[in-house]
Amino acid sequence: CGLRISEALNLTVGDVHFEDGFFLLRNTKTSLDRLIPLDDNLRVRFMVYSEQMGFLRKDEYFFPSPDGSRYSLATMDTTFRDILFRAGIPYRGKGKGPRLHDLRHTFCCHNIQKWAEAGLPIHSNLLILSRYIGHTSISATQYYLRLTAQAFPHIRDICEKNLGGMYVPFAIEIEEAYNG
């Protein structure tokens, strides 16, 4: 879903509305609540998971630690590194990743890739994606254009054409700031 890990960890049972097809994010990084639609696949997975968990109260964490409290971010990072190790994927150290937050980046990049390949208007969809993932400005989300160009070089041409020349100067500016 492109969530920040803290947003997923803060979900309570009462925030997930299977029948209406959404969940509510509260206490986000930007202090704004967001409604996130549940696609059919995720809705089914959440319903099965909820039944298996046997939740009793709406104020319980949807992804509770074994004692029912909220998992810490450090625990999630450690767990993610353990998963990487078991999968044979090297962790290259702090700041070098892969990081759990990279899954959020992947979500955004894959959306941009799908739009570009489908011939959809990237700029207007980028605004929607920006709001969906909780950014307060589209410029924060445009960072993912650079990530997409690196991962999917054929998308760069589509983005340049679709964004009317806006992409290249922005990508260069971001690349210079990133390499800094």
Side-chain angles (χ1 to χ4, degrees):
C1 297
L3 301 181
R4 296 175 180 98
I5 188 61
S6 60
E7 293 169 343
L9 294 177
N10 285 336
L11 270 179
T12 65
V13 173
D15 294 332
V16 181
H17 301 268
F18 303 112
E19 63 285 347
D20 296 320
F22 73 90
F23 57 90
L24 175 64
L25 296 178
R26 302 173 195 267
N27 305 317
T28 65
K29 180 179 176 180
T30 59
S31 301
L32 299 173
D33 293 348
R34 296 196 321 274
L35 293 178
I36 302 296
L38 284 166
D39 70 5
D40 290 336
N41 181 25
L42 190 56
R43 182 193 306 213
V44 169
R45 288 174 181 256
F46 270 21
M47 288 172 65
V48 169
Y49 169 78
S50 184
E51 289 172 19
Q52 290 173 342
M53 292 297 291
F55 293 119
L56 301 174
R57 298 184 334 267
K58 290 189 180 275
D59 65 343
E60 292 179 73
Y61 287 109
F62 195 71
F63 302 109
S65 70
D67 69 2
S69 65
R70 181 185 178 275
Y71 275 109
S72 71
L73 295 176
T75 298
M76 292 294 97
D77 284 338
T78 300
T79 301
F80 185 68
R81 277 189 234 121
D82 289 345
I83 292 168
L84 291 174
F85 178 77
R86 287 185 296 209
I89 300 169
Y91 174 69
R92 295 185 297 256
K94 188 173 175 78
K96 297 178 183 172
R99 309 163 303 150
L100 186 53
H101 193 73
D102 292 335
L103 297 176
R104 177 174 162 87
H105 292 202
T106 300
F107 171 84
C108 294
C109 291
H110 283 182
N111 275 285
I112 294 167
Q113 176 193 10
K114 283 192 305 189
W115 302 331
E117 290 175 346
L120 297 172
I122 294 170
H123 192 269
S124 57
N125 281 324
L126 203 58
L127 179 60
I128 294 167
L129 179 64
S130 179
R131 296 300 180 250
Y132 179 89
I133 64 172
H135 286 162
T136 55
S137 71
I138 195 169
S139 62
T141 309
Q142 285 176 322
Y143 167 72
Y144 297 111
L145 288 173
R146 182 187 63 79
L147 295 176
T148 303
Q150 287 177 341
F152 308 101
H154 69 285
I155 299 298
R156 182 180 178 134
D157 293 336
I158 297 170
C159 288
E160 287 174 4
K161 180 179 156 193
N162 191 290
L163 296 174
M166 179 182 95
Y167 177 75
V168 174
F170 178 78
I172 292 168
E173 175 184 315
I174 292 296
E175 188 70 33
E176 288 172 353
Y178 184 77
N179 291 327

